[in-house]
Amino acid sequence: GSSGINAEYGWYGWTHLFLSHHICGWNTFSQGAKEEIKKRDSGETGSSNTEDMMLAGRDINYFVGVFTMTATWVGGGYINGTTESVIKNGLVWTQAPIGYSISLFLGGILFAEKMRSKDYVTMLDPLQIKYGKPLGALFYIPAFSGEILWSASILAALGTSLRVICGINDTASIVVSAAIAMTYTLFGGLYSVAFTDIIQLICIFVGLIFSIPWMTGHEAVTMPLRSSNLTMFADQDQDYSKFYGELEKDDVGIWIDYAIMLIFGGIPWQAYFQRVLSSRTVSVAKT
């Protein structure tokens, strides 16, 4: 633990971490550099270097946009948090999947077209234009705080995952991963982030499928899930009350409060509007 590397899996873990991040980071950096060179060779000068870095030159197509928008929400923090919520509070209190889905729908209907059509760079631009720079700077504080805390949850999820899989210390894996992510983002901009999102989503999908045999065979999993033939355990009493959870009458107000927070709180995020504003067209942004 405190030595930083688990003795049994240390070398394997560090080798896996280095190779996976190096290959992924180099591919995404190369893609970002390739797109930048292509834009320069084609003589495109319509957008500033800042927009090229932050918004990928507003050239994200539908395919990449769907992947990067989905991966922005469905990350390590989302997967771990959803699982933890089901285990601790039950399915009825696991509101993030539905709440964030509704928030994305509302964001696309209410804000995406207006924001993209006016070529804003950040979600705070319309507020700064209307209320001035001093208030715009004030609005930046909660937005910045939210992004920092969300990034911390993502890195924490990565650290715990690598600790379980590779035996690497949380702190070491978080520091190395954050440094690599900052490097390819600094040089490749949103292009690198977008293509990393594609790889991330594919890895999550494949990884969750591969984990099913080990999950269903674990002693903590209830018996019916260990076989596709659910009727073979029909004579055994299974208590699913903890899985589904309970919603008491006195807790309805709290449940509604959480739902409203997730639905409307899932809209004002720079990471979300960055994907919207980087879309190639208004229709892609809405979709």
Side-chain angles (χ1 to χ4, degrees), residues 39 44 47 51-60 191 278:
K39 288 175 66 66
E44 296 182 24
S47 59
E51 288 192 13
D52 286 341
M53 288 294 293
M54 291 182 60
L55 303 177
R58 302 188 192 272
D59 195 35
I60 297 296
Y191 281 118
S278 64

Side-chain angles (χ1 to χ4, degrees), residues 12-279:
Y12 167 77
W14 278 109
T15 303
H16 178 271
L17 176 66
F18 176 79
L19 289 177
S20 60
H21 278 74
H22 181 75
I23 295 172
C24 178
W26 177 253
N27 286 339
T28 51
F29 166 73
S30 301
Q31 184 64 37
K34 186 189 302 181
E35 294 292 337
E36 183 66 22
I37 293 172
K38 185 169 67 174
K39 288 175 66 66
R40 289 178 181 178
D41 291 343
S42 63
E44 296 182 24
T45 59
S47 59
S48 65
N49 291 332
T50 302
E51 288 192 13
D52 286 341
M53 288 294 293
M54 291 182 60
L55 303 177
R58 302 188 192 272
D59 195 35
I60 297 296
N61 58 34
Y62 179 81
F63 174 79
V64 177
V66 169
F67 269 86
T68 187
M69 181 66 77
T70 305
T72 300
W73 291 113
V74 185
Y78 176 92
I79 297 295
N80 288 10
T82 300
T83 305
E84 181 181 352
S85 178
V86 173
I87 294 174
K88 292 179 63 177
N89 305 312
L91 190 63
V92 70
W93 287 97
T94 307
Q95 300 169 280
I98 297 177
Y100 283 145
S101 298
I102 296 175
S103 74
L104 290 175
F105 174 78
L106 292 178
I109 295 297
L110 300 176
F111 300 103
E113 182 177 1
K114 296 178 181 178
M115 296 287 286
R116 180 61 184 88
S117 62
K118 294 188 178 181
D119 290 337
Y120 291 131
V121 178
T122 71
M123 70 172 184
L124 298 178
D125 287 358
L127 298 175
Q128 182 170 304
I129 292 173
K130 184 173 180 61
Y131 298 108
K133 291 184 178 181
L135 280 179
L138 185 64
F139 293 144
Y140 170 77
I141 296 176
F144 175 76
S145 301
E147 296 288 350
I148 288 294
L149 295 174
W150 179 250
S151 299
S153 71
I154 297 297
L155 291 173
L158 175 63
T160 55
S161 299
L162 289 175
R163 181 189 62 193
V164 173
I165 298 172
C166 304
I168 301 176
N169 177 266
D170 291 5
T171 303
S173 61
I174 288 173
V175 171
V176 173
S177 301
I180 295 174
M182 289 175 62
T183 301
Y184 71 68
T185 302
L186 179 64
F187 289 99
L190 185 59
Y191 281 118
S192 294
V193 177
F195 284 96
T196 303
D197 287 341
I198 296 176
I199 299 173
Q200 168 193 315
L201 205 60
I202 294 174
C203 289
I204 288 177
F205 179 77
V206 175
L208 289 176
I209 291 178
F210 277 139
S211 69
I212 291 176
W214 287 271
M215 178 196 71
T216 55
H218 195 275
E219 60 182 7
V221 178
T222 53
M223 293 299 291
L225 293 180
R226 296 187 182 180
S227 172
S228 59
N229 183 12
L230 302 184
T231 59
M232 75 179 283
F233 299 103
D235 59 333
Q236 300 184 18
D237 293 331
Q238 298 291 337
D239 184 12
Y240 290 102
S241 60
K242 186 176 180 181
F243 173 77
Y244 292 114
E246 294 185 34
L247 180 58
E248 301 289 345
K249 184 177 181 181
D250 294 339
D251 295 331
V252 172
I254 300 176
W255 192 95
I256 295 175
D257 184 56
Y258 284 163
I260 293 174
M261 178 191 67
L262 289 170
I263 293 172
F264 295 103
I267 297 176
W269 287 87
Q270 173 59 23
Y272 165 71
F273 280 102
Q274 187 179 32
R275 272 67 178 176
V276 170
L277 297 172
S278 64
S279 300

